[in-house]
Amino acid sequence: MHASAIRQAFLDYFARNAHVVRPSSSLVPGDDPTLLFTNAGMVQFKKIFLGMEDPPDGNRRATTSQKCVRAGGKHNDLEQVGHTARHHTFFEMLGNFSFGDYFKRDAIRFGWEFVTDVLKIPAEHLRVTVYHEDDEARQLWKEVTGIPETRIYGLGAKDNFWQMADTGPCGPCSEIYVDLAHLARDWAFPKDAHGEWTRTDLTDYSLDAFVEGAEAGRFLEIWNLVFMQFDRQADGTMVPLPKPSVDTGAGLERIAAVLSGVTNNYHTALFLPLIERVEKVVGITYPYRPGQGVGTASGPDGREIDPASFRVIADHARAVAFLLADGVFPSNEGRGYVLRRILRRAVRHAWLLGRREPTLVHVVDKVIDMMHDVYPELKVRRKHIIETTKAEEERFLATIGGGLERFESLAPTGSTQGSTSIRGTISGDDAFRLYDTFGFPIDLTELMARERGYLVDIAGFEQSLQAQRLQSQEERRSKKIAVVADDLGDVSQWEHASGDAAHGRFVGYDVTTIETDVAAVRHLADGRLAVMLRESPFYAESGGQVSDRGTIEGAGWRVTVDDVKKIDGRVTAIGTLEGEFHFGAATARVPGSRRRDTERNHTATHLLHAALRKVLGDHVHQAGSVVEPDRLRFDFTHHGPIKPEQLEEIERWVNHAIWESVPVTITEKKYADAVAGGAMALFGEKYGDVVRVVEVPGFSVELCGGTHVKNTGHIAALRIVQEQGVAAGVRRIVALTGPKAFEALRDKERALEGIAEKLKVNVHAAGIDAISKRLDALLGEKKSLEKKLEEALKGSGGGSVVQGIVSAAESVNGARVAIAMTDAEDVDALKTLGDAVREAMPDGVAVLGALTDGKGTLLVVVGDALRAKNVNAGALVKDIAALAGGRGGGKPHMAQAGLGDEEALKVALAGAREIVAKSL
């Protein structure tokens, strides 16, 4: 049975048993900051299991096929991937869940029926484990399934007891194992140092034989039942839950291997087509023979190849495709850093296979082909996935060669055969330089070091990394005043108004000025005060929108607000105190013009996002934004500069939406309903059950908590003033709206008027086109003068500059060599002179110098007769410029270099003859 059939059969079976089929959640946990990635099926139901939410639509049974990644944090299997039969970065977890509905009896029945009746795995080849104190589960297994007592094993808490944390929901586990010795065609008993594995008796049902067989890979777990029946207290007491629940996990890849009759997940239809794609790209055959396992592989040069590299690339292609589809973008932090590590580990393994060009992108393309029917987001974001993967590969390939050279000097190869001794340690500073300069993730450096018998000073690396982070933080802090939440402490320790109740409620969607009361304050350093009002008009920075500024005034005191934070969800304004503070009534005010400008830019950001997707494609996703009163800045995923005509189309699209004067509607909906209705949820943002939907009908729908205009016409206009790349695959647009857009246009008009004045053009009378006409005329005159100059320089009169240089040339090794300082006014004039000298001296080399604004320029030209003898101007100018600490380059017939000043130019010209002579 193919994996796709297994997946569908699982969902269909549980749907027939009154379970609601839920879609896989994103690999980015929507509401769990403790997790890097979704790593189990129960993650999307965590709040339900904790009793914080009710099941959607009241359904207390659910089933899913969940996308999972384990490659960072606690569940980090990255190092094992490719070297074992079952470790993966990306995998699918089949699950069925009961939220206080059925419990152990039905969970056991469902699992057994599916495995034996649907999958048709013979019952006699199954074993079961229970928590050694869970007598109820042991008895139910015998009652419900008829499995003999001899094939039920009681294990300890380490293996068969689950808990979410030190306190809270927990309970015993029960697992189904299959016996691969009976089911796998390629099963072979492992050999130890003394020959065959001692446990060859397939009828030995003892606990010791089971444990040893599981460790040796004979028994494979395919089904895990978690019975959540207790609430562990802080003192360790186990309180029974009023409504016990069930969480089931079954690995699709493992089940596929069992049904394929193999012991290795990589030898199933989930991975073999990907490995075949690797074979095609690298031109090496993966040495797998069905029923026989994996042999050895050789590269084109005859050197032995580690087959694990094929498996690494196949596995990592799946993780990369799905992470990119779910909005994770390669970076140097958090989830993006894990993705970059996965990508670069794959590049390194392709490098080990002899590949020096992008490889993973071809395998990622195959992943999309294979899995887009089940996960349509792969197809929707195909362009983005492919382009980002290729760009990341190219980026690392540009530095991996230099990094490997550096690594060679740090950990030179040498024979380690027969020795377990450590040959040396790579220092933390060196490991950090490999990371910072060449892009080597630290775990890649560790892996390569281990292969050569070296250690890596991880503590030293972390110190260097932390030092860099602290330096960056200090640089940011030096640029603006900022108060972090930790500086504000626990609100319970603040000064509170007597009889204080609820406070810190944001009312700024509706008003910018409000009469209210001060609820609590905290005095900070340098005469600053943190103020929590009962109701606050101040917006705290979130979703890219910056915090409001303004004032809070009471009787005899005033706070100029320059920062706003949320403390425990409550708005707190921070600023400089004037006068003596005391509790009582206060007026809080956000300047109306500032808020209106911010609202213009925020709504315009939504329109810009929609326009980018409209013009460039659905691969565009927000990668960051800043919404300020003066401007908006929008970062988005896209490879390569935007063409001028596209940028103009984007700007026109946004302005069309503005000039249509469309009312902006803001509603609150359930998250699922909002997304189902077409609202765009931004990757990486955390959303609650009820979300705020900001819609510009016909143009844009997004989930957003920011402030917005009531009508698009209030934006007035949008003007894009900058578009540039900020990272691999990430572009940035800076735009202005409203009064700022008008000011930008006036600035350009003033600049044009200034140019017109210098050109003596009256734009008010003749129009702006007159500037272009005048410039065309001047450029024509310039071209004519340059031609006359060139002809003069090529003249044969005895007094010509060219003739003077040529006549001064001396014979060196059968060629003419001229070295001269010239009066050329600029680089173009020097090049024109050089061309003339080259034509007049086809069997010669000329080294010419000129001073322009105090800076030296060196030009080397080589005649055609010498070029035929491989005399190269580019090589000569590099060597000559190096005499004075300069750098240069160019073409074989003409090359130039910049030198600091006249003295440097003299040094270079003085040594030029010797260098030229060596090349002749």
Side-chain angles (χ1 to χ4, degrees), residues 112 115-116 121-130 137-139 141-142 145-155 160 174-179 182-183 202-211 218-219:
W112 190 262
V115 171
T116 57
I121 297 177
E124 62 268 24
H125 299 325
L126 300 177
R127 309 286 179 101
V128 168
T129 65
V130 296
R138 180 184 289 270
Q139 185 60 36
W141 275 109
K142 291 187 290 185
T145 71
I147 189 171
E149 173 78 29
T150 54
R151 286 194 272 132
I152 303 175
Y153 305 98
L155 301 178
N160 279 65
S174 195
E175 298 165 324
I176 300 176
Y177 284 76
V178 296
D179 187 349
H182 290 284
L183 297 173
L202 300 185
T203 61
D204 185 347
Y205 297 119
S206 68
L207 176 61
D208 288 344
F210 173 77
V211 171
R218 173 186 169 188
F219 298 111

Side-chain angles (χ1 to χ4, degrees), residues 255-326:
I255 293 174
V258 171
L259 297 188
S260 298
V262 297
T263 58
N264 194 315
N265 294 356
Y266 291 97
H267 299 156
T268 67
L270 280 169
F271 290 94
L272 284 176
L274 304 179
I275 290 175
E276 288 169 4
R277 179 61 61 89
V278 179
E279 289 179 317
K280 182 178 179 181
V281 173
V282 303
I284 302 173
T285 302
Y286 178 63
Y288 169 63
R289 298 293 179 270
Q292 301 177 24
V294 181
T296 58
S298 298
D301 57 359
R303 63 187 177 87
E304 187 172 322
I305 297 293
D306 186 351
S309 292
F310 290 88
R311 299 189 290 269
V312 168
I313 296 170
D315 171 274
H316 289 9
R318 291 175 14 125
V320 167
F322 277 93
L323 286 171
L324 286 171
D326 277 358

Side-chain angles (χ1 to χ4, degrees), residues 492-777:
S492 64
Q493 304 302 314
W494 288 28
E495 297 176 44
H496 289 257
S498 59
D500 172 58
H503 51 267
R505 184 169 63 90
F506 176 64
V507 295
Y509 290 135
D510 304 311
V511 296
T512 55
T513 300
I514 188 171
E515 301 289 335
T516 185
D517 295 305
V518 178
V521 298
R522 183 180 180 88
H523 290 272
L524 306 173
D526 301 322
R528 291 169 61 75
L529 188 71
V531 183
M532 192 174 287
L533 303 169
R534 291 190 186 279
E535 301 89 21
S536 176
F538 296 104
Y539 183 86
E541 182 172 339
S542 178
Q545 180 175 328
V546 300
S547 296
D548 280 330
R549 300 291 183 265
T551 59
I552 304 172
E553 294 187 62
W557 61 271
R558 171 190 174 103
V559 173
T560 301
V561 177
D562 55 37
D563 197 7
V564 185
K565 300 288 184 185
K566 275 194 174 183
I567 309 299
D568 297 332
R570 293 174 285 188
V571 177
T572 302
I574 303 159
T576 303
L577 173 65
E578 302 170 33
E580 185 176 347
F581 171 81
H582 53 84
F583 285 100
T587 301
R589 183 178 290 106
V590 176
S593 60
R594 177 186 171 89
R595 171 63 72 79
R596 286 192 294 274
D597 286 341
T598 303
E599 289 173 345
R600 288 187 182 98
N601 287 333
H602 204 153
T603 307
T605 298
H606 285 211
L607 293 174
L608 178 61
H609 191 184
L612 287 164
R613 290 172 63 84
K614 181 82 173 177
V615 175
L616 302 180
D618 290 338
H619 65 280
V620 170
H621 296 286
Q622 180 173 328
S625 70
V626 175
V627 176
E628 299 174 317
D630 294 340
R631 62 165 192 165
L632 67 89
R633 191 187 79 198
F634 190 75
D635 295 349
F636 56 97
T637 56
H638 183 69
H639 291 279
I642 299 176
K643 297 176 182 177
E645 58 270 24
Q646 290 178 314
L647 207 59
E648 182 178 350
E649 185 180 354
I650 290 163
E651 191 176 70
R652 284 187 180 277
W653 193 94
V654 174
N655 281 305
H656 171 67
I658 292 170
W659 298 330
E660 285 291 296
S661 295
V662 181
V664 178
T665 63
I666 298 176
T667 56
E668 290 191 348
K669 296 181 180 180
K670 288 185 177 180
Y671 176 81
D673 293 340
V675 173
M680 184 177 296
L682 303 183
F683 294 124
E685 288 291 321
K686 180 180 178 181
Y687 299 103
D689 297 330
V690 177
V691 293
R692 192 165 177 265
V693 182
V694 178
E695 181 174 7
V696 181
F699 294 96
S700 167
V701 189
E702 286 193 23
L703 307 185
C704 181
T707 61
H708 290 269
V709 298
K710 299 290 190 292
N711 186 295
T712 61
H714 298 166
I715 301 171
L718 175 134
R719 183 67 177 160
I720 295 173
V721 295
Q722 188 180 64
E723 190 278 326
Q724 63 181 12
V726 292
V730 179
R731 308 296 298 178
R732 171 174 293 170
I733 281 179
V734 177
L736 308 175
T737 65
K740 295 295 181 183
F742 173 76
E743 290 173 14
L745 289 172
R746 276 298 296 136
D747 288 343
K748 285 197 171 185
E749 284 184 357
R750 291 190 193 98
L752 280 172
E753 288 167 358
I755 293 170
E757 186 177 345
K758 291 179 180 179
L759 295 174
K760 302 190 184 308
V761 174
N762 187 339
V763 291
H764 298 292
I768 290 178
D769 288 346
I771 297 176
S772 178
K773 292 177 181 177
R774 178 60 177 151
L775 280 173
D776 286 342

Side-chain angles (χ1 to χ4, degrees), residues 146 226 477:
V226 177
R477 286 173 180 166

Side-chain angles (χ1 to χ4, degrees), residues 790 794 802 816 833-843 861 863-864:
E790 184 177 352
K794 292 180 179 179
V802 174
R816 286 188 288 175
L833 176 61
D835 268 333
V837 172
R838 200 175 73 83
E839 288 185 18
M841 200 166 62
D843 61 339
V861 292
D864 290 340

